[in-house]
Amino acid sequence: MKNLNLTLNIILLLAVAALYFLHFNGKDKAESGMTEESTGAVAAKGDIVYINLDSLVNGYDMFNDLNTELQSKASAIENDVNKQTRALENDIKGYQEKMQKGLLTMSQAQSTEQELALRDQELRQLINQKQMEMADETNVMYNRVMDAINTYVGKYNKDKQFSLILTTNGTTNTVLNGDSSLNITDEILKGLNEEYIKNRNKN
């Protein structure tokens, strides 16, 4: 019976959530390649403005709350998988020691090998299932956050009436150079968090 090596699977279990978090981890303006020059003016009706998506999501309380819940669930899954893996490895080691000492009949050895192989298969299936669940939950979290942002920005712009609202982040720069007065990230973030906190307190 081959020794189990599930470390990679355990790491992959958390990869989606971790990559999502790192994707939105704060990046400075130098990394994004975007520079800003301020004229001291304030964006007005009809202007083209922009939002730094990384900063917006990182500062959004809804994302941070959902991400904390997701990370907590991922840690619980990792702990459970580690526990089951250690138990199986110990049982395999015990089986191998008994075989070396000749303490098992051929029938007992075959039965034990079948049982250990079944547990190994079930554990691998559990890991694959949890990987898919985490990927699905991460995707839903992303969709919930972006839907809330898009909905709020739509309501926000009914009043502001900007001609166009662009986005920029650390990997895709729609805005390469812009006046900081056209950066409405902080204003959007403030409104988003106020709305989220108000709705959260209602529940």
Side-chain angles (χ1 to χ4, degrees), residues 33-112:
M34 184 185 72
T35 58
E36 294 180 355
E37 298 175 359
S38 177
T39 62
V42 178
K45 176 181 176 181
D47 282 346
I48 296 175
V49 296
Y50 63 93
I51 297 169
N52 185 299
L53 193 58
D54 287 348
S55 298
L56 185 64
V57 173
N58 273 316
Y60 190 15
D61 289 340
M62 178 182 182
F63 167 74
N64 290 319
D65 286 349
L66 292 174
N67 190 58
T68 297
E69 291 176 11
L70 196 63
Q71 293 299 319
S72 177
K73 181 171 183 178
S75 295
I77 292 171
E78 182 181 19
N79 290 336
D80 180 56
V81 168
N82 281 333
K83 182 179 178 180
Q84 293 190 51
T85 300
R86 285 192 299 268
L88 182 54
E89 287 175 341
N90 288 336
D91 288 345
I92 291 173
K93 184 178 179 181
Y95 159 75
Q96 291 172 336
E97 289 175 352
K98 288 180 180 179
M99 285 294 292
Q100 289 172 357
K101 294 177 181 179
L103 301 178
L104 296 175
T105 66
M106 196 59 109
S107 175
Q108 289 173 328
Q110 290 176 351
S111 176
T112 302

Side-chain angles (χ1 to χ4, degrees), residues 42-43 49-51 56 152 156 159-160 162 181-194:
V42 178
V49 296
Y50 63 93
I51 297 169
L56 185 64
Y152 179 82
Y156 167 89
D159 176 53
K160 296 293 185 177
F162 295 125
S181 67
L182 301 177
N183 184 346
I184 60 172
T185 305
D186 290 343
E187 187 176 352
I188 292 291
L189 179 59
K190 181 183 178 200
L192 273 170
N193 281 335
E194 287 176 352

Side-chain angles (χ1 to χ4, degrees), residues 106-156:
M106 196 59 109
S107 175
Q108 289 173 328
Q110 290 176 351
S111 176
T112 302
E113 282 194 8
Q114 289 175 357
E115 177 191 347
L116 293 173
L118 179 61
R119 286 172 58 190
D120 181 18
Q121 181 182 6
E122 289 175 345
L123 185 54
R124 292 177 185 277
Q125 288 174 346
L126 174 66
I127 291 171
N128 288 334
Q129 176 190 340
K130 294 303 180 182
Q131 286 174 347
M132 289 188 290
E133 287 179 6
M134 290 297 294
D136 189 41
E137 290 192 34
T138 300
N139 186 53
V140 170
M141 177 181 73
Y142 172 79
N143 289 339
R144 286 181 62 185
V145 170
M146 293 310 301
D147 181 66
I149 289 174
N150 288 332
T151 299
Y152 179 82
V153 169
K155 292 189 295 185
Y156 167 89

